[in-house]
Amino acid sequence: MITDDTETVPTGHWEINTGFTVERGFDGRLFGTPLLDVNYGLGERMQLKVEIPWLVLHLNGQPGVQGLGNTNIGVRWRFRDEKENHPLALSIYPAFEFNNPTTSVRKGLVDKGPEFLMPLQWQTKVGKFGVNGDVGYRFKRGPDEIIYGVVVGREFKRVELLGEIHGEGPRAHLNDSEIVYNLGSRVTLTKHAVLLLSAGKSVRRNFDPRFIGYAGIQINF
């Protein structure tokens, strides 16, 4: 899902997500083929993330272009665990995103960086449902942005079903936010492999995106 939770990779272990993404708007389609997301457990409550995609852009009536996306490096720190006497976990996940030395900015695949995101995540349980959300501030070239979202999920043995509302928009004009709903699933295939699926679109009529999709495999070891 787009909205993050507070979970961290166990100390000394790896979590590698290899996903294929698509975002369709009124002016074209953007693919991540693939989006590589590598995470490593630095401690009991801390993990390191490095994320980078290969992007393919098809604008309406123009030839397709492709290239390396931005590199995103972040560190999650869960400073409060979910316990019986205070059933709310909290974490922060500062992340720095920067352009690689390629022609992707000139091709229109990515915005000119750098960017810095400082989000706060929370997570709890309500009956049989898990609930998590995040809110954060993105410093960037041009207007700074606010991100926000909430996810509700429920586990059924090897399958977890999830629903999400996520938004992001300029700090000074939040009414122009891009707000999407997203439905997803996590299917445990083996002890070390999980299938990840999601699909959604804008909740606002005549706003992008018209469709977003994700399909990937998570490997844990």
Side-chain angles (χ1 to χ4, degrees):
M1 312 305 282
I2 306 170
T3 304
D4 245 320
D5 55 35
T6 66
E7 298 295 330
T8 55
V9 179
T11 305
H13 289 256
W14 294 86
E15 176 188 285
I16 300 176
N17 301 294
T18 303
F20 293 85
T21 66
V22 57
E23 179 174 335
R24 182 165 60 92
F26 287 97
D27 59 352
R29 294 163 293 166
L30 178 66
F31 300 90
T33 58
L35 168 65
L36 184 63
D37 174 20
V38 180
N39 302 274
Y40 179 74
L42 295 173
E44 183 180 357
R45 300 181 178 184
M46 187 173 292
Q47 78 175 41
L48 171 69
K49 173 190 76 169
V50 179
E51 179 182 288
I52 187 168
W54 183 264
L55 299 175
V56 179
L57 176 64
H58 290 276
L59 294 177
N60 297 335
Q62 299 183 27
V65 294
Q66 58 181 304
L68 196 63
N70 289 341
T71 297
N72 188 301
I73 299 177
V75 176
R76 190 202 315 268
W77 173 43
R78 188 177 65 255
F79 58 89
R80 172 168 165 162
D81 285 326
E82 188 177 348
K83 296 182 180 179
E84 184 176 351
N85 58 336
H86 52 75
L88 182 70
L90 296 170
S91 67
I92 57 174
Y93 204 171
F96 180 66
E97 182 175 309
F98 56 90
N99 301 132
N100 292 295
T102 67
T103 59
S104 294
V105 173
R106 180 174 57 81
K107 292 177 179 178
L109 289 166
V110 295
D111 294 330
K112 188 172 177 59
E115 298 180 1
F116 178 73
L117 176 64
M118 173 56 80
L120 170 72
Q121 295 89 32
W122 56 271
Q123 184 169 321
T124 189
K125 287 186 177 180
V126 180
K128 296 181 180 181
F129 295 89
V131 184
N132 65 272
D134 65 9
V135 60
Y137 194 96
R138 178 180 287 125
F139 301 87
K140 58 180 295 185
R141 291 176 181 267
D144 293 342
E145 294 180 342
I146 302 292
I147 69 153
Y148 48 94
V150 64
V151 176
V152 178
R154 182 174 176 182
E155 294 186 16
F156 300 89
K157 293 185 178 179
R158 298 166 64 92
V159 177
E160 182 179 6
L161 300 179
L162 304 153
E164 169 187 40
I165 296 289
H166 178 86
E168 56 184 81
R171 175 186 59 83
H173 302 282
L174 279 180
N175 57 318
D176 293 330
S177 292
E178 180 181 281
I179 306 173
V180 301
Y181 71 84
N182 208 16
L183 302 176
S185 179
R186 294 168 49 91
V187 183
T188 301
L189 302 177
T190 70
K191 181 180 179 181
H192 300 288
V194 180
L195 174 66
L196 307 174
L197 301 168
S198 70
K201 61 179 295 186
S202 173
V203 301
R204 307 172 70 181
R205 189 174 182 180
N206 297 325
F207 274 73
D208 281 339
R210 299 176 68 183
F211 175 80
I212 54 174
Y214 180 99
I217 294 290
Q218 180 184 98
I219 302 297
N220 302 280
F221 59 93

